């Protein structure tokens, strides 16, 4: 994919459905009694992997695509309605599928194996294996390296309390889902509040979920009561702020741009991108805010802005972990030195995002230093197009597609179709906004 400097970006865009919420709507719908109807479902490869896994375990799921995204009907069979899969469960490139589904599989009455592609087989799974083993689960890394493929021999689990060393929504969700099958209350404490889609949606489906924090806001706890009666629901998936982030950045960087991004999720555990952009001096206005459902959303009006450097770290990191690559691109164009710290989690994503972002920012002429848990980015210098290797990481590819719009010359992105993991229509949507009249 070759991309070069563009005229101002104009128009409005409906952002595809949130990936995290789309995954959970299938999982929780499968465990509920009755039919769950999901609209604006994200039909990216990761979410389709989740559908495929549950179909293998006997869940009838229909999917139709339309101009509003996917329309899905999940015919749930209740908490104990899954059956032994017809073969090995393949999560593709989806870490969410592996980690959340492992919590469900640990409490079943059958044996199962779950794996994924080459990238997934390198991602750390000890972070879910440790709490599951503490609950009495029988879970084994078949290659003995703490990664997939994972063998789970389902059994009765024990309610427990787990102090998570990391603020991770995937670890938290895995433990909560396993807790549905435990013999007592299961609770987890994390050092910062990670995204809370599981808590919100499980409660919406009928689970007894309790949350709390201490007065200093340094410990966040959540607990679940076992064996709830979950009931199928209607789920309208908001636009994914992680996908909106690329168009926010594009509008901020390209002179004269103004974009209206429709129906974007603004859950406070996910809105770190907005907070950092506003601290950088971004002109972003929230319109038509809607807090009536479980997941708040709004339209975002974004105008080209002169950006300044900031420091990004601490409790902000869990709220924008997936947006850090595109924030690094913004930092490359901002005046001053941006420091990202406390983001060691980037090392174990679809790629080592610290190493890959550093490699490619250097290629376009940006002075950048990698640190063990982040980057130091000296911004504001003229940048140029070149050949970019995203290492098959969808978020790296989209980040440099946006960078290309503000660089001189052409940007050649290798393996550009890796964006299908989370945003199959990304290049088409980007192209549609170019050269439009105000």
């Amino acid at each position: 994919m070759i991309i070069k400097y563009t005229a101002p970006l104009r128009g409005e865009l409906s952002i595809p459905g949130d990936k995290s919420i789309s995954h959970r709507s299938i999982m929780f719908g499968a465990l509920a009694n009755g039919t769950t109807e999901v609209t604006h479902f994200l039909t990216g490869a990761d979410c389709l992997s989740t559908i495929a896994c549950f179909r293998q375990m006997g869940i009838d799921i229909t999917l139709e695509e339309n101009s509003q995204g996917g329309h899905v009907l999940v015919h749930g069979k209740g908490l104990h309605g899954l059956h032994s899969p017809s073969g090995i469960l393949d999560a593709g490139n989806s870490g969410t599928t592996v980690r959340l589904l492992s919590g469900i599989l640990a409490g079943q009455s059958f044996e199962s194996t779950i794996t994924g592609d080459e990238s997934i087989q390198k991602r750390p799974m000890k972070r879910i294996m440790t709490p599951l083993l503490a609950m009495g689960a029988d879970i084994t890394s078949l290659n003995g390296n703490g990664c997939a493929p994972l063998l789970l021999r389902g059994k009765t689990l024990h309610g427990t309390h787990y102090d998570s060393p990391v603020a991770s929504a995937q670890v938290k969700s895995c433990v909560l889902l396993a807790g549905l099958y435990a013999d007592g209350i299961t609770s987890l404490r994390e050092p910062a509040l990670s995204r809370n889609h599981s808590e919100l949606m499980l409660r919406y489906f009928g689970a007894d979920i309790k949350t709390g924090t201490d007065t200093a806001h340094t410990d966040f706890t959540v607990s679940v009561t076992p064996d709830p009666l979950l009931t199928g629901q209607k789920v309208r998936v908001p636009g994914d702020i992680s996908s909106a982030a690329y168009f926010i950045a594009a509008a901020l960087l390209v002179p004269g741009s103004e974009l209206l991004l429709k129906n974007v999720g603004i859950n406070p555990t996910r809105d770190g991108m907005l907070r950092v952009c506003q601290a950088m001096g971004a002109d972003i206005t929230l319109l038509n805010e809607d807090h009536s459902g479980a997941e708040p959303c709004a339209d975002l009006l974004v105008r080209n802005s002169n950006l300044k450097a900031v420091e990004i770290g601490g409790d902000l990191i869990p709220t924008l972990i997936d947006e850090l690559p595109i924030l690094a691109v913004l930092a490359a164009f901002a005046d001053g030195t941006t420091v990202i710290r406390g983001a060691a989690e980037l090392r174990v994503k679809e790629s080592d995002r610290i190493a890959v972002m550093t490699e490619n920012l250097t290629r376009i002429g940006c002075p950048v230093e990698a640190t063990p848990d982040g980057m130091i980015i000296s911004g504001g210098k003229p940048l140029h197009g070149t050949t970019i290797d995203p290492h098959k990481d969808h978020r790296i590819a989209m980040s440099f597609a946006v960078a290309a719009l503000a660089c001189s010359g052409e940007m050649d992105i290798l393996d550009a179709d890796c964006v299908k993991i989370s945003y199959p229509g990304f290049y088409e949507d980007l192209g549609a906004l170019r050269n439009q009249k105000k």
Side-chain angles (χ1 to χ4, degrees), residues 332 359-368 378 381-386:
E359 168 193 328
N360 287 303
L361 285 173
T362 300
R363 286 182 180 181
I364 66 173
C366 176
V368 55
S378 298
K381 299 171 178 61
L383 304 177
H384 56 80
T386 186

Side-chain angles (χ1 to χ4, degrees), residues 156-428:
T156 300
L157 303 176
H158 306 301
T160 188
H161 174 78
Y162 180 63
D163 285 325
S164 179
V166 295
S168 165
Q170 292 182 355
V171 172
K172 176 171 60 177
S173 299
C174 173
V175 172
L176 290 176
L177 288 167
L180 299 177
Y181 297 93
D183 58 7
I185 292 175
T186 296
S187 62
L188 175 141
R189 180 168 59 195
E190 54 184 351
L193 183 59
S194 62
R195 57 183 67 176
N196 64 354
H197 302 306
S198 290
E199 297 97 299
L200 294 175
M201 193 181 293
L202 279 172
R203 189 179 289 129
Y204 179 56
F205 274 74
D208 183 5
I209 302 286
K210 293 182 172 62
T211 58
T213 183
D214 65 349
T215 55
H217 293 279
T218 55
D219 287 316
F220 298 85
T221 60
V222 59
S223 66
V224 61
T225 301
D227 207 28
L229 178 62
L230 304 181
T231 304
Q233 302 292 338
K234 290 187 176 182
V235 178
R236 166 72 178 175
V237 181
D240 196 327
I241 195 168
S242 296
S243 296
Y246 305 102
F247 295 95
I248 293 171
L252 292 175
L253 292 178
V254 179
S257 294
E258 180 176 303
L259 293 181
L260 182 65
L261 307 177
K262 306 281 287 184
N263 187 44
V264 178
I266 53 169
N267 182 310
T269 65
R270 291 282 300 282
D271 70 351
M273 171 78 182
L274 298 179
R275 285 182 270 164
V276 169
C277 284
Q278 287 166 342
M280 296 177 82
D283 184 351
I284 302 175
T285 304
L286 273 62
L287 305 172
N288 304 317
E289 291 188 53
D290 182 358
H291 296 266
S292 61
E295 294 283 349
C297 59
D299 299 338
L300 307 180
L301 179 63
V302 189
R303 298 184 178 95
N304 171 238
S305 306
N306 293 321
L307 303 178
K308 61 183 180 182
V310 293
E311 292 198 4
I312 306 172
D315 290 350
L316 265 178
I317 295 298
T319 71
L320 47 63
I321 191 69
D322 287 336
E323 291 76 69
L324 282 172
I326 189 61
L327 281 170
V329 166
L330 285 178
F333 291 93
D335 290 330
T337 299
T338 292
V339 179
I340 300 171
R341 58 168 60 92
E345 180 72 11
L346 290 178
R347 296 281 188 188
V348 292
K349 288 290 188 176
E350 284 85 337
S351 67
D352 179 341
R353 286 179 176 162
I354 291 174
V356 177
M357 286 301 300
T358 299
E359 168 193 328
N360 287 303
L361 285 173
T362 300
R363 286 182 180 181
I364 66 173
C366 176
V368 55
E369 176 186 346
T371 65
D373 65 347
M375 289 172 275
I376 302 171
I377 302 166
S378 298
K381 299 171 178 61
L383 304 177
H384 56 80
T386 186
T387 299
I388 295 296
D389 183 356
H391 294 255
K392 303 185 186 299
D393 189 323
H394 54 126
R395 300 206 185 277
I396 305 290
M398 289 187 282
S399 294
F400 281 94
V402 170
L405 305 180
C407 285
S408 63
E410 292 183 343
M411 196 84 81
D412 184 0
I413 301 174
L414 306 177
D415 294 316
D417 63 353
C418 64
V419 303
K420 293 178 181 178
I421 291 296
S422 63
Y423 199 154
F426 171 74
Y427 298 114
E428 290 80 2

